[in-house]
Each structure stands twice: as C-alpha cells, then as structure tokens.
Amino acid sequence: MRDHGAWVALETGFKRGEGWAEARRAHLKRQPYCIACRNHELSPWESFLRLFRGLVVHHIFPFHICRALDRGDLEYDPRNLVTLCHRHHWTLGHF
C-alpha cells in the first residue's frame, strides 16, 4: 500500500513516526468504515477486505504541520484521525 501522506511529508522534511503503523491499525479497529459512506453495516468479510482495499486513515490536521508546530503527539491522537474511503479521502479530506 502506498502511503501518500508520508510521501508529501517527506517533501517538507518530515517522516512518519515509528508508531504510525500501530496507531493506524488501532484506529481502523475503532473505526473500520468510511465516515462519509457510513459503510458500517458490512459483513465481517467485507469489513476485513476494506481494511486492505480502500480505507485511508486521514489526519484532520496534517501530521507534518503538527510536527512543524512542535505537536508531533497529534500524529497518533485519535481525535486527529478519521477513516475515509479513497473517493472521500480526496473530496472531503483534501478539498
């Protein structure tokens, strides 16, 4: 899976923290569906597939900006994370 957020952050001189993979996994356990689609009535198998096929854990405040402001703790803060499908990630998350 390509991590577009990490790529963008590298362009500004920041890297993902070492705990990001675990924070992402924990967030997807808490919120395994796109909050815009509200696809939370999926079968367990469909939910499992979505974890690998199209869900993005999006930072409400971009983590590289948080780090630039010396608030790196917000990279893992559940209040700064939201789950979106690829379609809504671009339309809602970035526009």
Side-chain angles (χ1 to χ4, degrees):
M1 180 182 316
R2 186 174 141 198
D3 186 350
H4 183 74
W7 178 78
V8 170
L10 278 175
E11 287 190 330
T12 59
F14 295 95
K15 293 190 317 184
R16 289 255 193 239
E18 292 182 15
W20 172 244
E22 181 55 38
R24 181 184 181 281
R25 261 192 301 278
H27 177 78
L28 286 172
K29 283 183 182 178
R30 284 190 305 274
Q31 193 177 83
Y33 53 88
C34 172
I35 63 157
C37 293
R38 302 283 187 214
N39 282 336
H40 57 280
E41 295 182 15
L42 300 172
S43 72
W45 176 248
E46 289 170 318
S47 296
F48 174 77
L49 289 176
R50 287 236 172 195
L51 290 175
F52 298 100
R53 280 195 187 161
L55 292 179
V56 175
V57 177
H58 178 75
H59 288 89
I60 297 166
F61 295 104
F63 82 92
H64 59 283
I65 293 173
C66 294
R67 285 184 176 229
L69 297 173
D70 202 27
R71 287 299 312 271
D73 58 302
L74 292 177
E75 179 178 4
Y76 310 122
D77 191 329
R79 296 171 297 177
N80 190 37
L81 303 174
V82 64
T83 305
L84 296 168
C85 65
H86 279 287
R87 179 177 60 135
H88 286 119
H89 178 232
W90 292 110
T91 57
L92 297 177
H94 290 280
F95 296 113

